[in-house]
Structures are given as C-alpha cells and as structure tokens.
C-alpha cells in the first residue's frame, strides 16, 4: 500500500475504481489517507487509484460510423437529487421531481425500495444515484451546439490519431469524459480542459441505446440518405416524415 498512500499524500483526494468493473459499482472517492487505507486494504480485487479531478460536467461522447453517415453525440450524465421537507416520503419526492425522466424514476425507485417510506429531514439533500451510470438511474441531456463543437475539436483529432497512427479503427467509439471548465467561445477548448475517465470499445451502438432508440436512429439515417441531408436536416427539414415513421412503430 505504500506507493498508493504516497500518491494520495501528493494528490489529496483520490478516486478509486475497480480494474474489472462496470455500471459504477465499487467506485469510491477517498478524502484522505486513512479512508483510502481502510477501503483498499479490505479489497481482494485490483483497483485503479487516480487523481480526483471534479468536473463541471460529467459526459459521454459517442462516435459511430454508419453505412452512409457518421453520427456523433455528447450528453451530460445527470445525477438526480431530491431535497426533503421533513414531511414527504422519499418515494413521493422522487415521484414529484419533474426533472427526472420516467425511465430513470423507475430505476431509482427500484434501487431505493428499502428507503422509500423514509421522510428526509427539511433541507436534507438525497443523492439518488452514486455515479453517472445510466443503468442506475442517471439520465442524459444532450449538450448544446457550442459545447459539442468544443469537445469535437479535441475528440475528433484523437479518433483520427487512433486510426492513422495507432492502427485502431472501429465502427463505434465511446469516451467517458469530464469537462473541467465551462465552454466559452472566448477561450479555445483544449485537451487540458478534459479529463478522460474511460475509453470503451463497443462492437456497435446496441450497448448505448434501447432497441426503440436504435430504430429511431435507423429511420433518421434512411431520411439522411433519401434527401442527402445531415442528421440536423432531419429535424429542421423532414421532422413530420420522421415522426410519422416513429409513430407507425408504436
């Protein structure tokens, strides 16, 4: 443990993540050396201990090469909270929180089923998910155009470098990243403004979208090909046709 504790003494707060893990299970933020020693000392599996860089936004960037078009998407992974009033149960607080999508609310209630009848104290903040993992109840909000373009300026050259210089050529790339500052047009965004948490190597988009979402992507791709427009053109020029295709699947 000595090298790990020495590293912590230099960094202060550190982030611990299992080497073989998924869905945010087993991650831990150690506030000091004693907490780190107690946490790591009880683990049998291998862990990565790294510098803790709290982002202003926790994001996922997806890049997919389709038959006709390249799709890119970057969304913020939102971790919902509720604030108690001393009277309302956790279950009702979750139900009343309008910002939580229905799909996330269902996962959150399942994960907190033993605590749903508890009434959080007035002003008590309850974090409903421990990480930004969508499967645990976090949800995504697509970044605005300025943010997306700023991140593109960093990620797209990286993907090109992986292809041309490293010989890594894939259909789908997935980067879990953190923005260390807000995007501002006045200051160019660089790789030093991002922290890379994880680089996943999926075979396709199935691991990131539900079957219904994939159907929607395929419909959008078909319209792009039919009218020779960009994905944005589906929304701005052919939305009625797109929605009609979607509704036929309901």
């Amino acid at each position: 443990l000595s090298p790990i504790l020495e590293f912590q003494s230099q960094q202060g707060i550190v982030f611990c993540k299992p080497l073989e893990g998924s869905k945010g299970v087993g991650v831990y933020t150690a506030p000091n050396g004693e907490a780190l020693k107690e946490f790591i000392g009880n683990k049998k599996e291998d862990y990565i201990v790294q510098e803790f860089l709290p982002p202003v936004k926790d994001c996922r960037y997806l890049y997919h090469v389709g038959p006709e078009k390249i799709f890119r998407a970057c969304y913020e992974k939102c971790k919902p909270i509720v604030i108690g009033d001393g009277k309302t149960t956790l279950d009702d607080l979750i139900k009343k929180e309008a910002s939580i999508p229905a799909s996330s609310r269902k996962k959150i209630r399942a994960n907190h089923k033993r605590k749903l009848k508890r009434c959080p104290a007035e002003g008590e903040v309850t974090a409903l998910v421990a990480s930004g993992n969508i499967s645990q109840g976090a949800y995504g909000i697509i970044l605005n155009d300025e943010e997306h373009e700023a991140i593109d300026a960093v990620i797209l050259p990286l993907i090109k470098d992986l292809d041309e210089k490293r010989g890594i050529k894939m259909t789908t790339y997935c980067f879990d990243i953190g923005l260390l500052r807000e995007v501002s047009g006045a200051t160019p965004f660089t790789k030093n403004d991002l922290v890379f948490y994880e680089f996943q190597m999926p075979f396709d988009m199935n691991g990131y979208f539900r079957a219904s979402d994939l159907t929607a992507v395929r419909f959008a791709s078909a319209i792009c090909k039919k009218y020779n427009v960009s994905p944005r053109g589906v929304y701005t020029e052919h939305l009625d046709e797109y929605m009609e295709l979607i509704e036929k699947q309901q």
Side-chain angles (χ1 to χ4, degrees):
L1 287 176
S2 296
I4 295 175
L5 294 174
E6 182 179 352
F7 175 75
Q8 181 279 323
S9 68
Q10 297 170 355
Q11 300 296 331
I13 300 174
V14 293
F15 184 72
C16 310
K17 181 177 182 178
L19 186 60
E20 301 291 340
S22 63
K23 299 183 178 180
V25 176
V27 300
Y28 176 67
T29 302
N32 52 53
E34 286 300 317
L36 176 62
K37 184 176 181 180
E38 181 179 355
F39 179 78
I40 294 294
N42 294 325
K43 299 299 179 184
K44 295 182 179 179
E45 63 268 42
D46 293 329
Y47 261 73
I48 298 171
V49 178
Q50 61 192 75
E51 180 183 7
F52 178 65
L53 295 172
V56 297
K57 288 189 178 181
D58 183 14
C59 302
R60 170 164 286 177
Y61 184 101
L62 295 168
Y63 179 95
H64 178 69
V65 182
E68 302 291 335
K69 298 285 182 178
I70 293 176
F71 294 90
R72 304 193 310 277
C74 188
Y75 59 85
E76 179 183 2
K77 296 188 284 186
C78 298
K79 296 174 278 190
I81 63 170
V82 291
I83 301 176
D85 59 8
K87 302 175 183 178
T88 308
T89 64
L90 181 61
D91 193 18
D92 286 338
L93 288 172
I94 294 171
K95 291 177 181 177
K96 292 177 180 179
E97 182 50 59
S99 66
I100 304 176
S103 57
S104 294
R105 189 177 291 115
K106 182 178 180 181
K107 297 171 187 175
I108 291 167
R109 293 182 68 245
N111 292 337
H112 289 269
K113 58 184 177 182
R114 295 183 180 180
K115 304 176 183 178
L116 292 177
K117 299 305 178 183
R118 187 177 74 85
C119 292
E122 184 175 358
E124 179 184 344
V125 178
T126 301
L128 300 176
V129 296
S131 73
N133 199 284
I134 302 298
S135 68
Q136 301 300 311
Y139 58 91
I141 296 179
I142 295 293
L143 299 187
N144 62 42
D145 288 349
E146 183 182 16
E147 292 171 320
H148 211 304
E149 289 172 5
I151 296 172
D152 278 345
V154 177
I155 300 293
L156 294 181
L158 172 59
I159 291 175
K160 183 179 180 181
D161 180 79
L162 289 172
D163 178 10
E164 297 179 356
K165 298 182 180 180
R166 310 293 178 178
I168 300 174
K169 191 177 186 67
M170 298 185 295
T171 301
T172 306
Y173 298 80
C174 173
F175 300 91
D176 284 339
I177 58 177
L179 279 61
L180 297 179
R181 68 171 176 85
E182 296 288 352
V183 172
S184 170
T187 307
F189 215 64
T190 72
K191 62 181 180 182
N192 294 325
D193 296 313
L194 294 180
V195 55
F196 286 78
Y197 299 123
E198 189 173 58
F199 170 47
Q200 301 181 25
M201 300 176 65
F203 291 104
D204 54 30
M205 296 293 271
N206 290 296
Y208 302 98
F209 294 100
R210 297 168 299 180
S212 56
D213 296 325
L214 283 169
T215 298
V217 170
R218 293 186 183 107
F219 285 151
S221 180
I223 292 176
C224 287
K225 183 177 180 180
K226 179 179 178 180
Y227 296 104
N228 192 30
V229 296
S230 68
R232 184 179 295 278
V234 175
Y235 175 78
T236 58
E237 302 172 35
H238 305 283
L239 184 61
D240 289 343
E241 180 177 347
Y242 174 70
M243 292 306 299
E244 183 178 348
L245 291 171
I246 295 295
E247 289 169 1
K248 287 180 181 180
Q249 302 301 307
Q250 305 299 317

